[in-house]
Amino acid sequence: MRGERLEKALIEHCAPTLAGIKSAGLFSYFHTDETRAREELREVNATLNERGVYVEALVWREASVLIYAYRQSHLEKELRQNGVSELLEPYGYEDVSVDGCLNHLKERVAHNSCFPHEIGAFLGYPLEDVKGFIEHGGRDCKSCGLWKVYCDTAYAQRLFDKMSKCSRVYRQVFLQGRSLAQLTVCA
């Protein structure tokens, strides 16, 4: 199968998103042929879109692409949460629809030397932790796991444990032959 390498990367980095317990995941996907990598993205989307999961390239580099995999329904809810538009506004997000925000995020990733810290709002991180990261410049967190925690450490640890277990199980059953489609919970 042509897209098997990308499928394996999605399982490795985005299992909680595929399982429906996290809105999105982000990872660098290394390639030697951009045309082939673009075809892999099309193939994966043909499988996952009907299940409510979308896989997009945020930015293409010479030998890699930054992949963002997300559940549109989850991302819509998170972007409508109290405080999210206020967080994003200073960074130039005017259209707070999923498409509008993703288009602006792509621009920010491609044209800024510093990685946009508001990306935590697109990855399902608790809003207070995203704000804390921005306010503290990534320093002075209470704990660190899948993200830096500035507020409710007990809640974050429960999420870290749940997502870690999900990733272990997904890797195991994928290696045993389950397909990406079989492992992706329908929205």
Side-chain angles (χ1 to χ4, degrees), residues 38-56:
R38 287 181 185 276
E39 180 58 32
E40 287 179 287
L41 277 173
R42 279 190 291 278
E43 290 173 6
V44 163
N45 274 307
T47 299
L48 298 181
N49 290 175
E50 65 188 30
R51 296 176 179 284
V53 176
Y54 296 81
V55 182
E56 291 197 27

Side-chain angles (χ1 to χ4, degrees), residues 82-125:
N82 284 337
V84 172
S85 61
E86 292 81 6
L87 172 81
L88 297 177
E89 184 180 17
Y91 301 104
Y93 293 86
E94 295 173 3
D95 177 358
V96 292
S97 69
V98 169
D99 289 339
C101 282
L102 289 179
N103 287 334
H104 190 68
L105 179 63
K106 286 178 186 180
E107 288 178 30
R108 288 195 35 84
V109 170
H111 301 299
N112 288 309
S113 58
C114 180
F115 201 77
H117 298 310
E118 75 274 9
I119 200 161
F122 293 85
L123 294 169
Y125 300 168

Side-chain angles (χ1 to χ4, degrees), residues 72-183:
Q72 184 157 346
S73 61
H74 290 189
L75 187 55
E76 285 171 351
K77 287 178 193 168
E78 290 181 5
L79 290 173
R80 286 193 310 258
Q81 276 183 347
N82 284 337
V84 172
S85 61
E86 292 81 6
L87 172 81
L88 297 177
E89 184 180 17
Y91 301 104
Y93 293 86
E94 295 173 3
D95 177 358
V96 292
S97 69
V98 169
D99 289 339
C101 282
L102 289 179
N103 287 334
H104 190 68
L105 179 63
K106 286 178 186 180
E107 288 178 30
R108 288 195 35 84
V109 170
H111 301 299
N112 288 309
S113 58
C114 180
F115 201 77
H117 298 310
E118 75 274 9
I119 200 161
F122 293 85
L123 294 169
Y125 300 168
L127 182 60
E128 294 307 313
D129 290 335
V130 176
K131 288 178 181 178
F133 184 89
I134 293 168
E135 290 169 11
H136 294 271
R139 296 178 308 279
D140 304 324
C141 62
K142 291 180 180 179
S143 72
C144 190
L146 297 173
W147 63 85
K148 290 188 176 184
V149 180
Y150 290 87
C151 292
D152 191 341
T153 56
Y155 172 75
Q157 189 59 54
R158 285 192 303 274
L159 284 178
F160 295 161
D161 292 345
K162 183 177 183 178
M163 290 182 210
S164 178
K165 181 179 180 180
C166 174
S167 294
R168 274 193 317 275
V169 169
Y170 266 53
R171 279 191 298 270
Q172 181 180 12
V173 296
F174 184 72
L175 290 173
Q176 292 171 348
R178 290 255 176 90
S179 70
L180 184 65
Q182 289 172 321
L183 291 170

